[in-house]
Amino acid sequence: MRVGMVLVRSIGYVVLSIWLAALFYLLGNTAADYFCCSLEKLSNLLKLPATLAGVTLLPLGNGAPDVFASIAAFVGADNGDVGLNSILGGAIFVTCVVAGTISMCVADQVVSIDKKCFVRDVCVLLFAVVSLGIILFVGEVSVVGAIAFVFIYVVYATLVVANELLRRKDGDLKVDTCVPLLSVTQIDGPEITDLESRNASFSDSDDVPHLIESKVPHWMWVSNVAIYSEVHGHGSEDGTDPWGWKDEVTVTEKKDSSFSCSKLLSWLELPLTLPRRLTIPIIEEERWSKGYAVASVTFAPLLLGLLWNTEHDENLLSIWLIYLSCALLGCMLGGVAFICTKWDQPPQKWLLPWVLGGFFMSIIWFYIIANELVALLVAFGLIFGINPSILGLTVLAWGNSMGDLMSNVALAVNGGEEGVQIAMSGCYAGPMFNTLAGLGICMLIGSWSNRPESYTMSGDVGLFCNIGFLVVGLLWSLVMLPRNGMQPSKSFGIGLMTIYVVFLGTRLGMSIGSGSLDNAN
């Protein structure tokens, strides 16, 4: 009997672990295959200047998993610490582990980081972290304070755009090259083929990505989430995957047998992909399917109605009225889509409603997945007697930062001096956006819902420890890299890794001392 209980419990742990990994994958894959392509189309339709898109839409695509996971944690009852620890833990991991790994990997190369951009990005991130520390010390934040915190990033973005406009006006487009955010660089497995992508995504100025209507795949638009994309992954013999996406299939793949490992994985991914494909409008040329387009606009209102009814306690009549209204709206939209679209090509007119629909429904799926992810982490905390905030600091932060580690290191190792510059810039610009936008939006939601009273922030000592170690890591970078002539070295990387190891040991020691690892409460 006891053996049977242990076996059942072990199987349950395995199933929950697999589901946790699947949720991390879904969060990254939704950003890579749905959210980013909507952002790209939106940038093109709004005719945003490349620099403005580089400091607004690109970081939003990069930081979407972190931002929405932290928002889901704040919205959930008593889970604010999970969101705070996730963002800060991810920032420490990226600025120490990812930057340190890059430095050790390229130490033998003669590369130099642009000092002006490096100092600018690190100083802005340092100012943001110190501001967050002051807010936590005060213990509360008002709507004005939350807006001011988000406004720090607005000032940073304005400075970058103004600097670019001034350099364009002066005709000085080739000097003082800065890379404010992660650039567009093709990542195809472990190799990086950057010549064509650079030519396609950069024009006169090399410091910002140019979002153009080219054949550049959307999955390489944001390198941070490129590893999660499956659009160009699995294909069948006729060039489409099991759920109808058009794909590029090589001659070698066509000669393979009808059964292959990649095809099996495609079918196994079907339950994870089909619900999103049926509710998120996609109008990309390579992925166009009229059947899915009609289905997505038909079922999207029903999904919204389902979420509304699950989040609000309504009477039975109201529930059925909401479902009926959503069903009628979906049928109307589906009928219009069926009449106005062609089978062989996506719509060429009225693109903005399609793009906004894809953008909005991607956010809805972020909300669903992130809520489930945070709830699962809380469940793990209850099962194993661990404070969920520690899981947010480690498991959630590591899971959301794996994309940065893999893509940035690959970019630095294979991309030459420019690749190192872009990768190192991403190690600070990414956490900056996640901190200012992610936590800023969370504080704004909390303070707005609690107005006219201020929103009470967590006074956990561990959060101040997180901020302290993050400041130490940033100061180490700000002092040691210029001292070494802006050339990454092994000693610089080892120092960053040591800071993270000490930080992790300190936080775990604090948790054991306070009983957080033995009591989830």
Side-chain angles (χ1 to χ4, degrees), residues 396-463:
L396 188 56
W398 294 339
N400 286 335
S401 300
M402 281 299 105
D404 299 82
L405 178 62
M406 297 175 67
S407 61
N408 285 11
V409 172
L411 179 60
V413 171
N414 299 281
E417 184 170 356
E418 184 178 354
V420 176
Q421 172 68 47
I422 295 171
M424 287 296 291
S425 178
C427 290
Y428 300 99
M432 180 204 310
F433 180 84
N434 295 342
T435 301
L436 292 173
L439 295 182
I441 292 174
C442 292
M443 291 188 293
L444 184 59
I445 293 175
S447 58
W448 184 267
S449 62
N450 204 41
R451 68 185 193 284
E453 301 295 330
S454 297
Y455 179 70
T456 302
M457 299 292 293
S458 173
D460 185 11
V461 178
L463 293 175

Coordinates of all heavy atoms in Angstrom, one line a residue, residues 396-463:
L396 N 11.1 30.5 -11.6 CA 10.5 31.4 -12.6 C 11.5 32.3 -13.2 O 11.4 32.5 -14.5 CB 9.4 32.2 -11.9 CG 8.5 33.1 -12.7 CD1 7.8 32.2 -13.8 CD2 7.5 33.8 -11.9
A397 N 12.4 32.8 -12.5 CA 13.5 33.7 -13.0 C 14.4 32.9 -14.0 O 14.7 33.4 -15.1 CB 14.3 34.3 -11.9
W398 N 14.8 31.7 -13.6 CA 15.6 30.9 -14.5 C 14.9 30.5 -15.8 O 15.4 30.6 -16.9 CB 16.1 29.7 -13.8 CG 17.0 29.9 -12.7 CD1 17.7 31.1 -12.4 CD2 17.3 29.1 -11.6 NE1 18.5 30.9 -11.3 CE2 18.2 29.7 -10.7 CE3 16.8 27.8 -11.2 CZ2 18.7 29.2 -9.5 CZ3 17.3 27.2 -10.0 CH2 18.2 27.9 -9.2
G399 N 13.6 30.1 -15.7 CA 12.9 29.7 -16.8 C 12.7 30.8 -17.8 O 12.8 30.6 -19.0
N400 N 12.4 32.0 -17.3 CA 12.2 33.2 -18.2 C 13.5 33.7 -18.8 O 13.5 34.5 -19.7 CB 11.4 34.3 -17.5 CG 9.9 34.0 -17.3 OD1 9.4 33.2 -18.1 ND2 9.3 34.5 -16.3
S401 N 14.6 33.4 -18.2 CA 15.9 33.9 -18.6 C 16.7 32.9 -19.5 O 17.8 33.3 -19.9 CB 16.7 34.3 -17.4 OG 16.1 35.3 -16.6
M402 N 16.2 31.7 -19.7 CA 16.9 30.8 -20.5 C 17.1 31.3 -22.0 O 18.1 31.0 -22.6 CB 16.2 29.4 -20.5 CG 16.4 28.6 -19.3 SD 18.2 28.2 -19.0 CE 18.6 29.3 -17.6
G403 N 16.1 32.0 -22.4 CA 16.2 32.5 -23.8 C 17.3 33.5 -23.9 O 18.1 33.5 -24.9
D404 N 17.5 34.4 -22.9 CA 18.6 35.3 -22.9 C 19.9 34.6 -22.9 O 20.9 35.0 -23.6 CB 18.5 36.3 -21.7 CG 17.2 37.1 -21.6 OD1 16.2 36.5 -21.2 OD2 17.2 38.2 -22.1
L405 N 20.0 33.6 -22.0 CA 21.3 32.9 -21.9 C 21.7 32.2 -23.2 O 22.8 32.4 -23.7 CB 21.2 31.8 -20.8 CG 22.4 31.0 -20.5 CD1 23.6 31.8 -20.1 CD2 22.1 29.9 -19.5
M406 N 20.8 31.5 -23.8 CA 21.1 30.7 -25.0 C 21.4 31.6 -26.2 O 22.4 31.5 -26.9 CB 20.0 29.7 -25.3 CG 19.8 28.7 -24.2 SD 18.4 27.6 -24.5 CE 19.0 26.7 -25.9
S407 N 20.4 32.6 -26.4 CA 20.6 33.4 -27.7 C 21.7 34.4 -27.5 O 22.4 34.6 -28.5 CB 19.2 34.1 -27.9 OG 18.9 34.9 -26.9
N408 N 21.8 35.1 -26.4 CA 22.9 36.1 -26.2 C 24.3 35.5 -26.3 O 25.2 36.0 -26.9 CB 22.7 36.8 -24.9 CG 21.5 37.8 -25.0 OD1 20.8 37.8 -25.9 ND2 21.4 38.7 -24.0
V409 N 24.5 34.3 -25.7 CA 25.8 33.7 -25.7 C 26.1 33.2 -27.1 O 27.2 33.4 -27.6 CB 25.8 32.5 -24.7 CG1 27.1 31.7 -24.9 CG2 25.7 33.0 -23.3
A410 N 25.1 32.6 -27.8 CA 25.3 32.2 -29.2 C 25.6 33.4 -30.1 O 26.5 33.3 -31.0 CB 24.1 31.4 -29.7
L411 N 24.9 34.5 -29.9 CA 25.2 35.7 -30.7 C 26.6 36.2 -30.4 O 27.2 36.6 -31.4 CB 24.1 36.7 -30.3 CG 24.2 38.1 -31.0 CD1 24.0 37.9 -32.5 CD2 23.1 39.0 -30.5
A412 N 27.0 36.2 -29.2 CA 28.3 36.8 -28.9 C 29.4 35.9 -29.4 O 30.4 36.4 -29.9 CB 28.5 36.9 -27.4
V413 N 29.3 34.6 -29.3 CA 30.3 33.7 -29.7 C 30.5 33.7 -31.3 O 31.6 33.6 -31.8 CB 30.1 32.3 -29.2 CG1 31.0 31.3 -29.8 CG2 30.2 32.2 -27.7
N414 N 29.4 33.7 -32.0 CA 29.4 33.6 -33.4 C 29.2 34.9 -34.2 O 29.4 34.9 -35.4 CB 28.3 32.6 -33.9 CG 28.5 31.2 -33.3 OD1 29.3 30.4 -33.7 ND2 27.7 30.9 -32.2
G415 N 28.9 35.9 -33.5 CA 28.5 37.2 -34.3 C 29.7 38.2 -34.4 O 29.4 39.3 -34.9
G416 N 30.9 37.9 -33.9 CA 32.0 38.8 -34.0 C 31.8 39.9 -33.0 O 31.1 39.9 -32.1
E417 N 32.5 41.0 -33.3 CA 32.5 42.2 -32.4 C 31.1 42.8 -32.3 O 30.7 43.2 -31.2 CB 33.5 43.2 -32.8 CG 33.7 44.4 -31.8 CD 34.8 45.3 -32.2 OE1 35.6 45.0 -33.1 OE2 35.0 46.3 -31.5
E418 N 30.4 42.9 -33.4 CA 29.1 43.5 -33.3 C 28.1 42.6 -32.6 O 27.3 43.0 -31.8 CB 28.6 43.7 -34.8 CG 27.2 44.4 -34.8 CD 26.7 44.6 -36.2 OE1 27.5 44.3 -37.2 OE2 25.6 45.0 -36.4
G419 N 28.3 41.2 -32.7 CA 27.5 40.3 -31.9 C 27.7 40.4 -30.5 O 26.8 40.4 -29.7
V420 N 29.0 40.6 -30.0 CA 29.3 40.8 -28.6 C 28.7 42.1 -28.1 O 28.1 42.1 -27.0 CB 30.8 40.8 -28.4 CG1 31.1 41.1 -26.9 CG2 31.4 39.5 -28.8
Q421 N 28.7 43.2 -28.9 CA 28.2 44.4 -28.5 C 26.7 44.3 -28.3 O 26.1 44.8 -27.3 CB 28.5 45.5 -29.6 CG 27.7 46.8 -29.4 CD 28.2 47.6 -28.2 OE1 29.4 47.7 -28.0 NE2 27.3 48.1 -27.4
I422 N 26.0 43.7 -29.3 CA 24.5 43.5 -29.2 C 24.1 42.6 -28.0 O 23.2 43.0 -27.2 CB 24.0 42.9 -30.5 CG1 24.2 43.9 -31.6 CG2 22.5 42.6 -30.3 CD1 23.8 43.3 -33.0
A423 N 24.9 41.5 -27.8 CA 24.6 40.6 -26.7 C 24.8 41.3 -25.3 O 23.9 41.1 -24.4 CB 25.4 39.4 -26.8
M424 N 25.9 42.0 -25.2 CA 26.1 42.7 -23.9 C 25.1 43.8 -23.6 O 24.7 44.0 -22.5 CB 27.6 43.2 -23.9 CG 28.6 42.2 -23.7 SD 28.6 41.3 -22.2 CE 29.1 42.6 -21.0
S425 N 24.7 44.5 -24.7 CA 23.7 45.5 -24.5 C 22.4 44.9 -24.0 O 21.7 45.5 -23.2 CB 23.5 46.3 -25.8 OG 22.5 47.2 -25.7
G426 N 22.1 43.8 -24.6 CA 20.8 43.1 -24.2 C 20.8 42.6 -22.8 O 19.8 42.5 -22.2
C427 N 22.0 42.4 -22.2 CA 22.1 41.9 -20.8 C 21.7 43.0 -19.8 O 21.4 42.7 -18.7 CB 23.5 41.5 -20.5 SG 24.0 39.9 -21.3
Y428 N 21.7 44.3 -20.3 CA 21.3 45.4 -19.4 C 20.0 46.1 -19.9 O 19.2 46.5 -19.1 CB 22.4 46.4 -19.3 CG 23.7 45.8 -18.8 CD1 24.7 45.4 -19.6 CD2 23.9 45.6 -17.4 CE1 25.9 44.8 -19.2 CE2 25.0 45.0 -16.9 CZ 26.0 44.6 -17.8 OH 27.1 44.0 -17.3
A429 N 19.8 46.2 -21.2 CA 18.6 46.8 -21.7 C 17.4 46.0 -21.4 O 16.3 46.5 -21.2 CB 18.7 47.1 -23.2
G430 N 17.5 44.6 -21.6 CA 16.4 43.8 -21.3 C 15.9 43.8 -19.9 O 14.7 44.1 -19.6
P431 N 16.7 43.6 -18.9 CA 16.3 43.7 -17.5 C 15.8 45.1 -17.1 O 14.9 45.3 -16.3 CB 17.6 43.4 -16.7 CG 18.3 42.5 -17.6 CD 18.1 43.0 -18.9
M432 N 16.3 46.2 -17.8 CA 15.9 47.5 -17.6 C 14.4 47.6 -18.0 O 13.6 48.2 -17.2 CB 16.7 48.5 -18.4 CG 16.3 50.0 -18.2 SD 16.7 51.0 -19.6 CE 18.5 50.6 -19.8
F433 N 14.0 47.1 -19.1 CA 12.6 47.2 -19.6 C 11.7 46.4 -18.7 O 10.6 46.8 -18.3 CB 12.5 46.8 -21.0 CG 11.1 46.8 -21.5 CD1 10.6 47.9 -22.0 CD2 10.3 45.6 -21.5 CE1 9.3 48.0 -22.5 CE2 9.0 45.7 -22.0 CZ 8.5 46.9 -22.5
N434 N 12.2 45.2 -18.3 CA 11.4 44.3 -17.5 C 11.1 44.9 -16.1 O 10.0 44.8 -15.6 CB 12.1 42.9 -17.3 CG 12.2 42.2 -18.6 OD1 11.5 42.5 -19.6 ND2 13.1 41.2 -18.7
T435 N 12.1 45.6 -15.6 CA 12.0 46.2 -14.3 C 11.1 47.4 -14.3 O 10.1 47.5 -13.5 CB 13.4 46.6 -13.7 OG1 14.2 45.5 -13.6 CG2 13.2 47.3 -12.3
L436 N 11.3 48.3 -15.3 CA 10.5 49.5 -15.3 C 9.1 49.3 -15.9 O 8.2 49.8 -15.3 CB 11.3 50.5 -16.2 CG 12.6 51.1 -15.7 CD1 13.3 51.9 -16.7 CD2 12.3 51.9 -14.4
A437 N 9.0 48.5 -16.9 CA 7.7 48.2 -17.5 C 6.9 47.2 -16.7 O 5.8 47.4 -16.3 CB 7.8 47.8 -19.0
G438 N 7.6 46.0 -16.4 CA 6.9 44.9 -15.7 C 6.5 45.3 -14.4 O 5.3 45.3 -14.0
L439 N 7.4 45.8 -13.5 CA 7.1 46.2 -12.2 C 6.3 47.5 -12.1 O 5.4 47.7 -11.3 CB 8.3 46.3 -11.3 CG 9.1 45.0 -11.1 CD1 10.3 45.2 -10.2 CD2 8.2 43.9 -10.5
G440 N 6.6 48.4 -13.1 CA 5.9 49.6 -13.1 C 4.4 49.4 -13.4 O 3.5 50.0 -12.8
I441 N 4.1 48.6 -14.4 CA 2.7 48.3 -14.7 C 2.0 47.6 -13.6 O 0.9 47.9 -13.2 CB 2.6 47.4 -16.0 CG1 3.1 48.3 -17.2 CG2 1.2 46.9 -16.2 CD1 3.2 47.5 -18.5
C442 N 2.8 46.7 -12.9 CA 2.2 46.0 -11.7 C 1.8 47.0 -10.6 O 0.7 46.9 -10.1 CB 3.2 45.0 -11.2 SG 3.5 43.6 -12.3
M443 N 2.7 47.9 -10.3 CA 2.5 48.9 -9.3 C 1.3 49.8 -9.7 O 0.5 50.3 -8.9 CB 3.7 49.7 -9.0 CG 4.8 48.9 -8.3 SD 6.2 49.9 -7.7 CE 6.9 50.4 -9.3
L444 N 1.3 50.1 -11.0 CA 0.2 51.0 -11.5 C -1.2 50.3 -11.4 O -2.2 51.0 -11.0 CB 0.5 51.4 -13.0 CG -0.5 52.4 -13.6 CD1 -0.6 53.7 -12.8 CD2 -0.1 52.6 -15.1
I445 N -1.2 49.0 -11.7 CA -2.5 48.3 -11.6 C -2.9 48.2 -10.1 O -4.1 48.5 -9.8 CB -2.3 46.9 -12.1 CG1 -2.1 46.9 -13.7 CG2 -3.5 46.0 -11.8 CD1 -1.8 45.6 -14.3
G446 N -1.9 47.9 -9.2 CA -2.2 47.9 -7.8 C -2.7 49.2 -7.2 O -3.7 49.3 -6.5
S447 N -2.0 50.3 -7.5 CA -2.3 51.6 -7.0 C -3.6 52.1 -7.6 O -4.4 52.8 -6.9 CB -1.2 52.6 -7.3 OG -0.9 52.7 -8.7
W448 N -3.9 51.8 -8.9 CA -5.1 52.3 -9.5 C -6.3 51.6 -8.9 O -7.4 52.2 -8.6 CB -5.0 52.0 -11.0 CG -6.2 52.6 -11.7 CD1 -7.4 51.9 -12.0 CD2 -6.4 53.9 -12.2 NE1 -8.3 52.7 -12.7 CE2 -7.7 53.9 -12.8 CE3 -5.6 55.0 -12.2 CZ2 -8.2 55.1 -13.4 CZ3 -6.1 56.2 -12.8 CH2 -7.4 56.2 -13.4
S449 N -6.2 50.3 -8.6 CA -7.3 49.5 -8.0 C -7.5 49.9 -6.6 O -8.6 49.7 -6.0 CB -7.0 48.0 -8.1 OG -5.9 47.7 -7.4
N450 N -6.5 50.5 -5.9 CA -6.6 50.8 -4.5 C -6.8 52.3 -4.2 O -6.8 52.8 -3.1 CB -5.3 50.4 -3.8 CG -5.5 50.1 -2.3 OD1 -6.5 49.6 -1.9 ND2 -4.6 50.6 -1.5
R451 N -6.9 53.1 -5.3 CA -7.1 54.6 -5.2 C -8.3 54.9 -4.4 O -9.3 54.1 -4.5 CB -7.0 55.2 -6.6 CG -8.3 54.9 -7.4 CD -8.1 55.5 -8.8 NE -9.4 55.5 -9.5 CZ -9.9 54.5 -10.1 NH1 -9.3 53.3 -10.0 NH2 -11.1 54.6 -10.7
P452 N -8.4 56.0 -3.6 CA -7.4 57.0 -3.5 C -6.2 56.7 -2.6 O -5.3 57.4 -2.4 CB -8.2 58.2 -3.0 CG -9.3 57.6 -2.2 CD -9.6 56.3 -2.9
E453 N -6.3 55.5 -1.9 CA -5.3 55.1 -1.0 C -4.1 54.6 -1.8 O -4.2 54.1 -3.0 CB -5.8 54.0 -0.1 CG -7.0 54.4 0.8 CD -6.6 55.5 1.8 OE1 -5.4 55.5 2.2 OE2 -7.5 56.3 2.1
S454 N -2.9 54.7 -1.2 CA -1.7 54.2 -1.9 C -1.7 52.6 -1.8 O -2.3 52.0 -0.9 CB -0.5 54.8 -1.2 OG -0.4 56.2 -1.3
Y455 N -0.9 52.0 -2.7 CA -0.8 50.6 -2.8 C 0.3 50.2 -1.9 O 1.5 50.7 -2.0 CB -0.6 50.2 -4.2 CG -0.4 48.7 -4.4 CD1 -1.5 47.8 -4.2 CD2 0.9 48.1 -4.7 CE1 -1.3 46.4 -4.4 CE2 1.0 46.8 -4.8 CZ 0.0 45.9 -4.7 OH 0.1 44.6 -4.9
T456 N 0.1 49.2 -1.0 CA 1.1 48.8 0.0 C 2.0 47.8 -0.7 O 1.6 46.8 -1.3 CB 0.4 48.1 1.2 OG1 -0.4 49.1 1.8 CG2 1.5 47.7 2.2
M457 N 3.3 48.1 -0.7 CA 4.3 47.2 -1.2 C 4.9 46.3 -0.2 O 4.8 46.6 1.0 CB 5.5 48.1 -1.8 CG 5.0 49.0 -3.0 SD 4.5 48.1 -4.4 CE 6.1 47.3 -4.9
S458 N 5.5 45.2 -0.6 CA 6.0 44.2 0.3 C 7.2 44.8 1.0 O 8.1 45.5 0.4 CB 6.4 42.9 -0.5 OG 7.1 42.0 0.4
G459 N 7.4 44.5 2.3 CA 8.5 44.9 3.0 C 9.5 43.8 3.3 O 10.2 43.8 4.3
D460 N 9.4 42.7 2.5 CA 10.3 41.5 2.7 C 11.8 41.9 2.7 O 12.2 42.6 1.7 CB 10.0 40.5 1.7 CG 10.7 39.2 1.9 OD1 11.3 39.0 3.0 OD2 10.7 38.3 1.0
V461 N 12.5 41.5 3.7 CA 13.9 41.8 3.7 C 14.7 41.2 2.5 O 15.6 41.7 2.0 CB 14.6 41.3 5.0 CG1 16.1 41.6 5.1 CG2 13.9 42.0 6.2
G462 N 14.2 40.0 2.0 CA 14.8 39.4 0.9 C 14.8 40.2 -0.3 O 15.7 40.1 -1.1
L463 N 13.8 41.1 -0.5 CA 13.7 41.9 -1.7 C 14.9 43.0 -1.7 O 15.5 43.3 -2.7 CB 12.4 42.6 -1.8 CG 11.2 41.7 -2.1 CD1 9.9 42.5 -2.0 CD2 11.3 41.1 -3.4

